[in-house]
Structure formats: C-alpha cells, structure tokens
RNA sequence: CGGGAUGUGGCCCAGCGGCUAGGGCACCUGGUUUGGGACCAGGGGAUCGCAGGUUCGAAUCCUGCCAUCCCGACCA
C-alpha cells in the first residue's frame, strides 16, 4: 500500500514482489551501486580497526567519538546483534526497547544524577524539566520491573535491549574502541533470591563466551571494579590486545583482575618494640628514595602520604575534602581503590595550596596531627612496627610512628596498586600484566536500584522484598572493532564468516559479463550472501585491493582464461586456498564451505581460551 | 581537565608577509590500456577552521574562540 497524495494504491499482484528471484534482486549488492566508497591509505598512524573500517567504507566519523555505520558495516552489525539475540533468548532473555531520553527524576532517586559528573549529559526540555541522555538503563529497567513484577511467581526474569547509549567521555579514541555514542546490548535480571541471581549471572557468563566465540573473538574474564554501578560482584570480558586501554593482571593459577582492583601479596615484617615518636632533621628528602638513602633505611620502614581532593556527596549537596592516603614507602597507591574505600564521587590530585590548607607539607607530609582530612591507610602498614613518616614541617620527619597510636586512619584497607613484579596472593607466582579492551561486563547489582526505585515484590512468605537485580552489557561497535583488530593483515580485514558483511565476494574481470551475472543470480537464489564486483570501469588491481580491504572470506574470480575451461578461480581471504573450480556444482560447494567455516571458527576460537 | 600537535577543493599534503593559492589522489569528458590501486589530453571544484587585530598588502604575523588527533587525568 503506497500513499500518493490522498490516494491509496493497492498492488494487485503483490505476490510477484515476494517471489524468490525478485526478492533476491532487491537484497543484492553490486559494487557499482554501493553507497560507500573505499579510500586510499592515509599514512596516518591509526589503530588497524579504525584505519580499515574507515578505508573500506564501513564507518564515517561525524564528530569526536560519534560515527555513522554505512551499509556494509550495518550488515556486520546486524549479524553480531543477531548472534547476541540468539544467545540472550537461549537463556530466557526477552527483548525490549527502552527510551534514550529520560526524565531526570529516576536518576535522582538512585542519586546517580548527582554522583556522575560530566559524563552524564543533562538538559532541559521545553518546560524546563530536568532530562538526561541515557548512558545506561538501570533506572528505567528497574522502573519497568517495578511496574510489571508484583509476585515471586513471576521471577526470575531477564529483559534486554540493543540500544543507543550516550556517554560524554572525556577522551574518545581509537576509532570505535572508545566512543561517546554507541550501541550496547544491555540486559537486566530480576530475581526473588540470591540463588536465582547467581544462576542468572552464571548463565550470562556462559552466554557471553558463546557470543564472543561465535563472533570469532577470543576473550578472558577478569574480576572488575564496581565503579558507578555499585553492587556486589562484577566481571569484565576482555579482548587481550596491546592497543587495549584497560590494564589487567593474570596469573597461571587462574587469578585474573582488572589492575584497578588487582590484589597482590604484601610482605609482612617481624614485629618491633614500641618506641617514642621523635622528630629528626632530614634535609632535602622529599621522596621516599631520598629519605631512605639519607637515613640508610629500607623503604619498607617508611610510610608515604599521597594527597588528593575527594568530592563527596551528602544528600543533594556535594563538598570537597582533602584526602590523605598513607601507604608503606615501597608501594604505590591505586586511585580507584582509594576512591572506593572512602566512597568519594571523584578524586583528583591535590594542589600544594590545598595540602598546606590543612597544615600538611608536601614532601614531608603525614596524617599525624591533621584534623580536617579524610585519612585512608593501606593494610601494608603494620600495627606492630615503627615507621618513619613526614613531620608536616619542611626538612623534618618523625621516627617511631605507630599505626593506631600516632595516626588513626578513617579507613584501613587495600589501596595499593599492583605493579610489574607483584606477587599473586593466591599462588605466590609473579602476576602477568597485559592490556585489553573491555567488550562486555556482568554485574551483580543486588538491591541497590530496586531499593531506591521501590521495585518490590511479594515473596512466598507474604513479605514485601526488593527485587534482586543484575546488569549485563556488551558494546556492539567495540566488539566489531575488536574483531577487526583480531582478524586483519596489512592489506585489510579478514572477517570471520559469522560476522562478515557478505559470505562471497564475486569479482568479474571478464568483459563478457554474462557468466558472472549468471553466477550472481544463482548464488542469490541459493541464499548465498554475495557482494558482486560488477564494475566495468575498474581494473583488476583495484578490484583485488578493494576485495582485500573488505575482507570477505570467500572470493570467486570470473576471468576469461579460466572460463575457457568452464572454470572460475576460488580464493580464501586468509590465503589458505587459491585454486580453480568447475562452474558445475559451484553453489553447492560454496554453501558447504560456508557451513564448514562457521563451524570451524567457533572451534578455533574456543581452542584459544 | 592538564600537556602536545594539526586545521588549505571530497581525501592526503605543499605554500609560512607579495600580487591569479599549488600538487598528488578522487571526480567529469574524450582517447589509449585492461589479472594486483594504468596512461595521455582537457575540465569542474576552495568563504585557506571562525572572529577580531597589525599591515599598502594576511593562508602566511598577533590575540581570542572552535574543531580534530595524540599523551595523561577520567571512564561499566
């Protein structure tokens, strides 16, 4: 039914439009008609995925961290999304779509409206109401759960969507790896008890591995920071690559963690008798290295102070306060751990004036005698030892300082940063440091959101309880880029069959287009996804270069020479096969090859894990 | 938010006080070529990021702003 002016036109022979051949002609792609174009090398130093996706005409940048996906990319994206859908549906997920623009109210209820800084974009609608752009959907999913779930009999439930998110990231980079606007698969689970949540979490854990495997991407899981999500437990799915921006540790014993939360074994020393606090002159010893050299002591006998300004939230008010982090001299502090320990909204290094403002002296600082500051100490500082600490006086330190007696931190916990050479706390071996891209994550949220939104249900005992939730994300564009990072050579992309925009790249080099056209239609009729390079004005070299760039796994070349013997050339993009095929039975051969590749890919990626 | 760099036809870059802003790629026309990014001839296409200022004269120098990229901070 088409509307022209005010008249409806009904097609009499609608069935014709749905016939197999016609449908095929509609879904085709001929290179001569492709919307995008390929670009020459730029010579810019870019990550492989960014360079090839742009050059091959998959994506175009609109602004920093904001991209359009062109037709060929969209085909890959659709395949990735469908793999995600299949695996989500398999664990009982139900697909929904939630809005991208939210009234700020719910975000105020959970306090994230105030807690999250500039990354959350806030604006007003025409009535002046506070609105936000969705950076994630916990608030809205919880609101939906609140409205739909009233009884334990309805639980457990998992809903998911594949939706646009906006995060005003301070530093977008590396093409699609780190962007501001992106598509994300996010699921939210609702459970009546913790056992149900554990099961949902585990199901997601396995489903994620399946999805990444099917997309041809090897990943590992690491224990991760809870960050702005809050909650109880979290894992990140990491694709290991040197261009990754996340730093993580692994160990042969199986321990893995994002280095933000990585724990390691700290050396504990023999106890010492209590001595008096004594001030000593230590000129020009602003660093631990200078200090221990000057005094001829080990750096483990010192305690350093690192100063930050923490932003804290109290109700709707926020305030800043100096934070003094104390840690044994040989160790480094980890800002994420500090921020989590003291429950600060934000943390930044303090300026000298701010340090002096509470009576501390940078280079000779400690928490001893300081009132107006939040003090957090690392658990490497032993109660039964004497330490050399700053005297808050230029060129002076204190000896014999004891934890508990001389300084009494507000928090004592692990705030140490795992660095190269750190020892695994599980098995005692050296931790291995790597870099990776976070392609997915899973969180046990617990009742954080259900409590603030009021998503409650009646349990079997008749009592009203908050729903126990989980949240699980996968960055679709980042996944696409990671796949390219993993599968490319110097000439372009080498798609895994499962996510390749097309299965077969049919290249015609013959002036007589008849044979190629014939093949093309027969491929379409057999359901083979084919990209047809039917361009007559391009030379062979251009077509080959473009084909390499596109990275479609199978290639059929129609040329005059092989046609003489009723043959065409067959080549795989990975370079393993380069041969000729009889025209007879070629579609059957290709279909079998495609199926085989889909099967083998999953096996080979699984083998890497 | 700190540090650095760059903005010149669609893309990559040259020009860095002197008059009509230049090349390569891409595009259009014609011809020759035709298996790994062809060649010849002709042609179209630019508010030189924006706004001020200095100057007889500004793409070029100065100031401010904006944008993009890289490093760091930040980030599910």
């Amino acid at each position: 039914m088409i509307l022209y002016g005010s008249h409806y036109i009904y097609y009499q022979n609608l069935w014709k439009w749905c016939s197999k051949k016609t449908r095929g002609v509609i879904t085709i792609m001929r290179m001569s008609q492709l919307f995008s174009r390929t670009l020459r090398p730029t010579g810019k130093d870019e990550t492989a995925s960014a360079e090839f996706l742009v050059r091959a005409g998959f994506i175009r940048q609109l602004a920093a961290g904001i991209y359009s996906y062109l037709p060929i990319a969209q085909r890959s994206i659709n395949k990735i999304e469908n793999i995600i859908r299949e695996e989500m549906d398999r664990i009982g997920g139900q697909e929904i779509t939630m809005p991208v623009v939210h009234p700020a109210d719910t975000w105020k209820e959970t306090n994230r409206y105030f807690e999250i800084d500039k990354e959350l974009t806030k604006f007003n609608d025409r009535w002046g109401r506070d609105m936000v752009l969705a950076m994630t959907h916990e608030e809205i999913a919880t609101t939906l759960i609140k409205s739909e779930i009233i009884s334990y009999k309805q639980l457990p439930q998992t809903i998911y969507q594949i939706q646009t998110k906006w995060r005003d990231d301070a530093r977008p980079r590396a093409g699609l790896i780190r962007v501001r606007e992106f598509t994300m698969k996010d699921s939210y689970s609702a459970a009546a008890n913790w056992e149900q949540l554990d099961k949902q979490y585990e199901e997601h854990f396995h489903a994620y591995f399946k999805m990444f495997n099917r997309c041809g991407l090897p990943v590992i899981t690491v224990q991760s920071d809870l960050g702005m999500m809050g909650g109880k437990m979290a894992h990140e799915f990491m694709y290991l690559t040197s261009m990754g921006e996340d730093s993580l540790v692994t160990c042969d014993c199986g321990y893995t963690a994002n280095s933000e939360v990585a724990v390691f074994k700290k050396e504990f020393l023999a106890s010492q008798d209590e001595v008096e606090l004594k001030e000593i002159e230590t000129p020009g010893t602003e660093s631990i290295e200078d200090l221990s050299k000057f005094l001829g002591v080990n750096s483990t006998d010192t305690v350093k102070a690192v100063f930050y300004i923490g932003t804290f939230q109290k109700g709707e008010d926020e305030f800043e306060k100096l934070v003094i982090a104390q840690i044994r001299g040989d160790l480094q502090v980890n800002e994420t751990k500090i921020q989590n320990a003291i429950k600060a909204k934000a943390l930044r290094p303090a300026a000298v004036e701010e340090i002096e403002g509470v009576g501390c002296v940078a280079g000779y600082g400690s928490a001893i005698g300081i009132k107006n500051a939040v003090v957090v100490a690392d658990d490497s500082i032993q109660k039964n030892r004497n330490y050399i600490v700053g005297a808050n006086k230029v060129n002076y330190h204190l000896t014999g300082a004891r934890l508990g007696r001389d300084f009494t931190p507000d928090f004592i916990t692990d705030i140490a940063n795992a660095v190269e050479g750190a020892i695994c706390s599980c098995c005692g071996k050296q931790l291995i440091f790597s870099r990776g891209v976070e392609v997915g994550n899973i969180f046990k949220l617990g009742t954080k959101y259900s409590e603030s939104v009021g998503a409650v249900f009646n349990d079997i005992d008749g009592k009203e309880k908050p729903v126990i939730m989980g949240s699980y994300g996968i960055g679709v564009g980042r996944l696409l880029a990671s796949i390219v990072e993993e599968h490319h050579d110097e000439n372009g992309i080498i798609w895994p069959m499962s996510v390749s925009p097309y299965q077969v790249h049919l290249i015609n080099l013959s002036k007589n287009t008849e044979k190629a056209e014939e093949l093309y239609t027969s491929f379409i009729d057999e359901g083979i996804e084919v990209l047809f390079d039917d361009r007559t004005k391009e030379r062979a070299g251009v077509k080959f270069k473009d084909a390499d760039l596109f990275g479609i796994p199978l290639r059929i070349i129609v040329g005059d020479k092989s046609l003489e013997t009723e043959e065409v050339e067959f080549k795989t993009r990975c370079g393993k096969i380069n041969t000729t095929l009889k025209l007879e039975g070629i579609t059957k051969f290709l279909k079998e090859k495609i199926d085989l590749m889909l099967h083998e890919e999953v096996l080979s990626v699984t083998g890497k894990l």
Side-chain angles (χ1 to χ4, degrees), chain A residues 252-498:
Chain A
D252 294 341
C253 74
Y255 176 74
T256 58
N258 191 307
S259 63
E260 287 176 344
V261 296
V263 293
F264 61 98
K265 198 170 184 173
K266 290 167 193 163
E267 184 189 8
F268 286 95
L269 306 167
S271 61
Q272 290 173 332
D273 290 334
E274 197 168 330
V275 294
E276 274 182 28
L277 196 64
K278 207 167 77 185
E279 192 176 278
I280 54 165
E281 193 171 357
T282 54
T285 56
E286 291 185 11
S287 71
I288 291 293
E289 199 188 331
D290 292 342
L291 177 68
S292 40
K293 207 179 279 173
F294 178 80
L295 294 173
V297 299
N298 207 314
S299 60
T300 51
D301 288 326
T302 65
V303 166
K304 72 171 99 169
V306 187
F307 301 96
Y308 292 98
I309 296 293
T311 309
F312 298 88
Q313 189 79 37
K314 199 174 181 184
E316 293 209 0
D317 303 321
E318 73 172 39
F319 60 93
E320 289 192 334
K321 204 167 177 183
L322 188 82
V323 176
I324 306 176
Q326 302 257 225
I327 192 167
R328 202 172 67 196
D330 60 312
L331 301 173
Q332 309 288 324
V333 294
N334 174 316
E335 292 185 17
T336 308
K337 288 185 182 178
I338 294 174
Q339 195 176 335
N340 289 339
I342 63 176
K343 297 179 178 64
K345 177 178 167 181
L347 201 65
R348 64 170 170 86
V352 177
E353 308 81 61
E354 290 167 323
I355 297 169
E356 287 167 353
V358 297
C360 274
V361 177
Y364 301 91
S366 76
I368 295 180
I370 303 303
K371 293 274 185 305
N372 195 22
V374 176
V375 180
V376 55
D378 185 61
D379 53 16
S380 58
I381 301 171
Q382 296 170 241
K383 280 205 165 151
N384 55 7
R385 283 185 67 87
N386 304 313
Y387 292 100
I388 301 158
V389 302
N392 290 324
K393 188 169 162 189
V394 177
N395 293 338
Y396 284 91
H397 278 83
L398 298 169
T399 64
R402 284 180 87 91
L403 180 69
R405 185 191 71 183
D406 302 313
F407 56 101
T408 49
D410 302 298
F411 305 94
I412 302 176
T413 183
D414 171 36
I415 55 163
N417 197 27
V419 292
E420 210 77 44
I423 302 297
C424 176
S425 56
C426 304
C427 71
K429 281 190 205 155
Q430 267 207 7
L431 291 169
I432 302 157
F433 284 73
S434 346
R435 298 192 70 80
V437 174
E438 181 192 346
V439 286
N441 57 35
I442 53 179
F443 283 89
K444 284 188 186 175
L445 295 176
T447 55
K448 178 181 151 98
Y449 294 92
S450 49
E451 275 177 29
S452 30
V453 173
V456 292
F457 68 101
N458 277 313
D459 205 353
I460 195 162
D461 56 11
K463 289 194 176 124
E464 196 171 71
K465 294 174 187 172
V467 170
I468 297 169
M469 293 179 60
S471 122
Y472 319 82
I474 290 180
V476 177
R478 184 179 271 194
L479 175 52
L480 181 87
S482 296
I483 294 167
V484 177
E485 285 297 327
E486 178 68 9
H487 302 280
H488 72 268
D489 62 14
E490 67 279 8
N491 296 316
I493 308 169
I494 307 171
W495 289 107
M497 185 60 81
S498 59

Side-chain angles (χ1 to χ4, degrees), chain A residues 85 89 93-99 137 140-142 144-145 148 158-163 184 186-188:
Chain A
R85 283 193 177 94
D89 291 351
Q94 300 179 49
E95 187 170 2
I96 61 170
T97 301
M98 290 181 270
H137 284 78
I140 310 310
T142 311
L144 282 175
I145 289 169
E148 304 309 313
T158 300
I159 49 176
Y160 74 96
Q161 65 172 348
I162 298 175
Q163 242 297 25
M184 182 174 182
D186 46 328
S187 39
Y188 304 91

Side-chain angles (χ1 to χ4, degrees), chain A residues 25 27-35 502 513 516-517 520-521 524 530-535:
Chain A
V25 173
T27 48
I28 55 114
M29 191 43 74
R30 309 171 92 99
M31 292 270 288
S32 61
Q33 288 162 30
L34 191 60
F35 176 71
Y502 292 90
T513 58
E517 290 284 351
Y520 178 52
T521 353
I524 293 167
V530 55
L531 178 65
F532 181 24
D533 196 340
D534 62 332
R535 294 174 296 180

